[in-house]
Amino acid sequence: MILSAEAEADRAAREVLDLMDRGHRAARPVRTAVGRAYEALFLARWDDALARSATLPSDAPHAGAVRAQIEALLAGGARIPDVADVDPGTVAGAMAVFHASEATHVAGDIGACRDMLERALAHPGVPDGPRVWLRLAHARSLIFTGDLAAARAAVEVAADSAVTEVARRSALVVRGAIDGLLGRRDAVAAAAEQLRRDLPDPATYADAGIGWMMSLGLATSGWSSAAVELLLHSSGGPGLPLMPPTLRAYAFDVLIEAALGADREDLARWVMAEFDRLDLADNEQMRAVRESSRARLDVVGGDRAAGDRARATAAAVTAQGHRLHAARAAVVAELATGDLAVDEQEARARRLDDLVAAASYADLRAWMDRTLAAAGLVPRPLTGVGWDQLTPTQEVVARLAATGLSNAEIAAVLVVSPRTVEDHVAAVLARLGVASRIGLITGGAAATSVRLTPAAGTLLTPRQREVAALLATGAPNADIATALGITRKAVEAHLAGIYRRLEVGNRAAAVARLVGG
């Protein structure tokens, strides 16, 4: 039977979707040329996948997008498929957008990747199966652009609609990567343990990608050894045979960071040697990741000039829209710079703020502060607060408290007891003359109105935003109730809802999220 081009594209798209949803372990036989090429990719038969993809027509939207994704993953290709006129209301059209977004992400244009996904998801007729994968890809794109609040909201929507085992697992690891950057160490550890139970025998490219995403969350939250162990396990062991060649750049970056975090410079240098042997063709994004990893290693070796190279890398990937990579490179640069005198710390703050200037990236900015603090470097100053009145230890505690961390979380970062942190916080509030931790976040100013971040507008109801605006000024519950003409019980209920939607546990953490502190 001879099928029309549209029918053949639809059949191929359904075969590929079946491979993705079933993780290939129980997939039906693959009959189309596109399906066989993607099957070879799925099973890590790289040469076969490249050879088969080369026969696919690049001018047919679905086949061309699959071809571009395979070339980007296996040969460092930078060709971005044009799917602007593709109808995502069909399985073939929606899957064409998905594969095109994957190719575009790997090729380095994360902004274009995010935009094409948002255009497709705005279409009301996207079929349910492809919509889940488009949502997961969208959440990943938001992580790399640095908008962690939006990424978390996006992955929750994706998780709610994920029905297959592989899709649920993908949502788990995207959430884990976000939690790592938000400093939720216990949540990351629990998710990684669940993934390890669910992934006893990795065998596909999808398994490797899922493991890498979770290892990113582990590494960024300080679980260095666990990150290495999971990444090697999910990618098939040494050499990462299940990881597509181009994506090994991401994997090597995590391995080097984790090895150095575990004081294994020898292992990190071995990984760097493998990284240098990786052929990244003309993929500027992955080349920048490699130079950032090299700078990280050189900093440990005492090369102070490595900071300048890392700073240049941060600027390069910022221009590409990759704020996550930019933030990681910027941290390396500041580690090379070391601790600074008080009068130089404002310059450091400006350097870091320049990378994440918009309020949407406040969570990523807070991650940089936590990472530098964990390395013994003083985080950013806050305008309007007399830090010169504090001892060095009190200053570090105050700055961490100003990001919304609880006493227990600060204790974990500084490796001291929560009681010690409690004593320091009390001394800080007394010396600075502020009534609560919220005063640290707002710079001690008696604000009568505070501009909330865009994330607050998308996550909160109108009434919750009214409560949040007063909360951010430091108003107690009684004053909020009077101002809004509601009962204290109602205020308490709204605060509980705000905490739940912002995923925080206290007023200070909520204010830090609400005002981008």
Side-chain angles (χ1 to χ4, degrees):
M1 180 177 64
I2 300 176
L3 299 177
S4 68
E6 291 78 9
E8 181 70 9
D10 186 69
R11 181 169 132 180
R14 291 180 185 278
E15 284 188 340
V16 171
L17 184 60
D18 186 61
L19 288 169
M20 293 167 58
D21 280 341
R22 296 172 180 264
H24 193 271
R25 289 173 175 79
R28 289 179 282 275
V30 177
R31 294 185 174 88
T32 68
V34 170
R36 286 192 293 268
Y38 205 82
E39 180 184 48
L41 173 71
F42 226 79
L43 297 180
R45 300 198 308 257
W46 312 133
D47 290 343
D48 186 21
L50 268 177
R52 290 182 180 278
S53 71
T55 67
L56 301 178
S58 59
D59 57 346
H62 181 251
V66 170
R67 177 176 177 174
Q69 181 187 5
I70 291 174
E71 290 173 349
L73 289 169
L74 305 186
R79 183 174 64 83
I80 298 176
D82 183 5
V83 291
D85 296 328
V86 170
D87 177 14
T90 66
V91 172
M95 292 303 293
V97 175
F98 171 79
H99 298 302
S101 74
E102 295 287 276
T104 305
H105 187 160
V106 176
D109 194 339
I110 191 67
C113 168
R114 180 198 59 219
D115 291 347
M116 70 172 64
L117 289 165
E118 290 177 352
R119 282 196 304 271
L121 287 168
H123 191 291
V126 178
D128 290 342
R131 182 177 287 276
V132 172
W133 292 104
L134 289 172
R135 283 174 168 164
L136 288 167
H138 181 227
R140 288 199 308 271
S141 74
L142 290 167
I143 293 175
F144 282 87
T145 57
D147 195 342
L148 303 184
R152 186 60 192 253
V155 76
E156 292 308 327
V157 174
D160 286 344
S161 55
V163 295
T164 68
E165 179 183 350
V166 180
R168 288 195 297 267
R169 194 178 296 154
S170 297
L172 172 74
V173 302
V174 172
R175 187 187 293 119
I178 297 167
D179 282 341
L181 290 160
L182 293 177
R184 298 169 179 156
R185 300 182 79 242
D186 291 345
V188 177
E193 179 59 28
Q194 179 180 334
L195 177 64
R196 188 59 191 265
R197 290 195 302 269
D198 293 347
L199 200 64
D201 186 24
T204 70
Y205 142 60
D207 295 335
I210 283 171
W212 169 74
M213 203 73 189
M214 183 62 80
S215 74
L216 175 64
L218 288 167
T220 54
S221 56
W223 300 106
S224 301
S225 297
V228 172
E229 190 270 341
L230 177 61
L231 185 53
L232 290 174
H233 168 74
S234 62
S235 300
L240 313 178
L242 297 178
M243 181 71 69
T246 304
L247 283 192
R248 288 177 195 169
Y250 282 161
F252 286 152
D253 183 42
V254 168
L255 285 173
I256 289 170
E257 179 186 20
L260 293 175
D263 293 325
R264 288 293 309 277
E265 185 179 347
D266 56 337
L267 176 60
R269 292 197 178 282
W270 178 84
V271 175
M272 192 71 237
E274 291 295 306
F275 207 160
D276 281 334
R277 280 193 280 271
L278 190 63
D279 182 7
L280 297 175
D282 57 354
N283 192 309
E284 293 300 326
Q285 173 201 185
M286 298 305 181
R287 288 176 178 272
V289 172
R290 179 160 58 191
E291 291 316 302
S292 179
S293 290
R294 192 189 317 282
R296 187 185 300 274
L297 185 55
D298 289 345
V299 166
V300 172
D303 182 359
R304 306 282 286 191
D308 293 333
R309 297 195 293 276
R311 200 164 285 118
T313 296
V317 291
T318 298
Q320 297 173 340
H322 282 268
R323 281 188 173 84
L324 174 60
H325 289 324
R328 287 168 64 79
V331 165
V332 173
E334 298 308 325
L335 291 173
T337 303
D339 212 348
L340 296 172
V342 173
D343 60 352
E344 297 175 310
Q345 289 179 28
E346 188 173 345
R348 166 174 284 169
R350 283 197 300 270
R351 287 197 297 271
L352 299 183
D353 286 342
D354 284 347
L355 293 171
V356 289
S360 302
Y361 310 114
D363 290 321
L364 189 59
R365 181 67 176 81
W367 171 79
M368 288 191 282
D369 279 348
R370 288 195 302 273
T371 304
L372 291 174
L377 302 183
V378 179
R380 64 185 172 118
L382 296 182
T383 302
V385 178
W387 301 111
D388 56 341
Q389 302 176 50
L390 306 179
T391 68
T393 300
Q394 289 171 344
E395 190 174 343
V396 171
V397 170
R399 295 177 197 282
L400 290 174
T403 69
L405 295 185
S406 67
N407 286 355
E409 291 168 329
I410 295 171
V413 169
L414 301 181
V415 196
V416 296
S417 71
R419 179 56 186 272
T420 298
V421 174
E422 182 180 341
D423 291 342
H424 283 312
V425 170
V428 165
L429 297 181
R431 285 199 176 197
L432 298 181
V434 294
S436 70
R437 301 161 82 101
I438 292 177
L440 300 176
I441 298 167
T442 60
T448 57
S449 65
V450 174
R451 183 176 180 179
L452 304 184
T453 66
T458 59
L459 293 174
L460 305 182
T461 67
R463 176 59 93 179
Q464 286 174 337
R465 287 198 294 274
E466 290 178 340
V467 173
L470 292 168
L471 173 67
T473 69
N477 288 3
D479 290 355
I480 296 175
T482 300
L484 297 180
I486 58 178
T487 66
R488 291 192 190 185
K489 278 285 189 184
V491 172
E492 292 171 2
H494 285 308
L495 288 176
I498 290 169
Y499 294 168
R500 185 169 57 253
R501 288 178 177 243
L502 297 180
E503 297 183 299
V504 298
N506 57 64
R507 296 173 82 92
V511 172
R513 289 289 306 277
L514 290 167
V515 303

